[in-house]
Amino acid sequence: MAALALFQIASIVALIGMGLGWRGVMTKYSGFYDLPTAWSMMFWGLLLGGFYGNMTDGFLLVPYLIEGQITLSSLLICLGLAVIVHLILRRERVRRTGSQPTTGWALGLAVGGMIAMFQIYRMLEYYEDISIVVIVTILLIAIVSPRIHALIFCAHGYKMLAGKRWSAVIATFFWCALAITALYSTSKYPLFWIFMIPPVLLAERKANDWVWAAVPRPARRRLRRIWADASRNIVEEE
């Protein structure tokens, strides 16, 4: 299959995964947090994700697929990513509105989407015979990679709101290193999804609290009234 066709398939599948990652907590609170800043972070996330994805592709994924090894250089790359994410979330525009969690979510979606694009491309290139297992793995990569990085960066922003700056950087470094290693391991060993999906589902439960912290207090009161009115309307209709 031509390289251009592989790239197009990888890009489309990764973009679908990013779109699915926006649904959920971000749509639930839409209109009650700093949405313009979140959308602008998608652009910066694509740039950062392109650089990060290219680094991990060259130093980690390709050697792993060819030689079956993951080098320790991943630690330095993930540490650099954690520091850059922290600097982005420290910007005055983000701190002024207290939107670190939602900004982190949008940033993580774009970064995770780019990582998924690189990995899907390499898998299509590596496997000559595309089996059902490979297709399922590709779909899971497209869905999980944006989601897991959104959760990691959203948690980073939540920790920043709580004043835990150093622990936020350390936690992001740790989880990013673990996530990229596990994601790349699924390229050859799909059973790794058994260990990846449960932590993602557990983190999803916390995501509502993290995003809720980015909603200003006046907006929280309005949002509670809207939910209360909607609940009453449902009861009356029944």
Side-chain angles (χ1 to χ4, degrees):
M1 193 180 294
L4 180 59
L6 293 180
F7 175 77
Q8 289 176 331
I9 294 172
S11 301
I12 292 171
V13 175
L15 286 172
I16 292 173
M18 289 171 58
L20 293 174
W22 189 268
R23 299 178 64 84
V25 291
M26 294 296 277
T27 52
K28 180 179 180 181
Y29 302 109
S30 181
F32 294 90
Y33 58 83
D34 188 2
L35 187 59
T37 300
W39 273 113
S40 69
M41 283 301 110
M42 294 291 289
F43 169 75
W44 293 109
L46 291 174
L47 294 180
L48 177 60
F51 178 76
Y52 177 64
N54 185 57
M55 292 284 289
T56 54
D57 176 72
F59 287 98
L60 303 175
L61 183 56
V62 173
Y64 176 66
L65 290 175
I66 296 175
E67 303 173 7
Q69 297 179 352
I70 292 182
T71 65
L72 293 177
S73 58
S74 61
L75 298 179
L76 295 177
I77 297 172
C78 292
L79 179 59
L81 176 66
V83 172
I84 292 173
V85 169
H86 187 75
L87 293 176
I88 291 175
L89 297 182
R90 284 188 72 249
R91 293 177 60 193
E92 175 63 25
R93 180 180 178 182
V94 179
R95 289 189 289 113
R96 186 175 63 250
T97 57
S99 60
Q100 288 93 330
T102 51
T103 302
W105 186 282
L107 185 67
L109 276 182
V111 170
M114 294 300 291
I115 293 169
M117 184 187 72
F118 277 96
Q119 187 175 358
I120 292 169
Y121 175 83
R122 290 302 180 189
M123 288 190 66
L124 292 172
E125 185 181 52
Y126 180 77
Y127 289 102
E128 295 181 359
D129 297 325
I130 306 299
S131 64
I132 296 297
V133 174
V134 174
I135 293 174
V136 171
T137 300
I138 287 174
L139 293 177
L140 285 173
I141 290 169
I143 295 171
V144 174
S145 180
R147 199 81 177 185
I148 196 171
H149 285 88
L151 289 167
I152 293 171
F153 294 178
C154 183
H156 188 125
Y158 180 76
K159 287 180 179 292
M160 290 180 68
L161 283 180
K164 301 176 180 178
R165 297 180 179 178
W166 285 107
S167 64
V169 174
I170 294 171
T172 297
F173 160 63
F174 173 79
W175 288 113
C176 281
L178 193 62
I180 199 70
T181 302
L183 280 169
Y184 285 174
S185 297
T186 62
S187 299
K188 284 190 172 182
Y189 306 103
L191 286 178
F192 262 88
W193 290 115
I194 297 175
F195 304 101
M196 282 197 67
I197 294 177
V200 173
L201 295 178
L202 290 174
E204 282 280 353
R205 298 182 179 180
K206 293 287 187 180
N208 280 288
D209 296 333
W210 300 337
V211 175
W212 180 255
V215 178
R217 293 186 182 276
R220 294 180 190 179
R221 290 193 291 268
R222 293 197 302 271
L223 190 54
R224 288 193 185 100
R225 286 197 296 268
I226 292 173
W227 287 342
D229 292 340
S231 298
R232 283 195 296 269
N233 292 334
I234 292 173
V235 172
E236 291 173 358
E237 289 177 0
E238 292 178 351

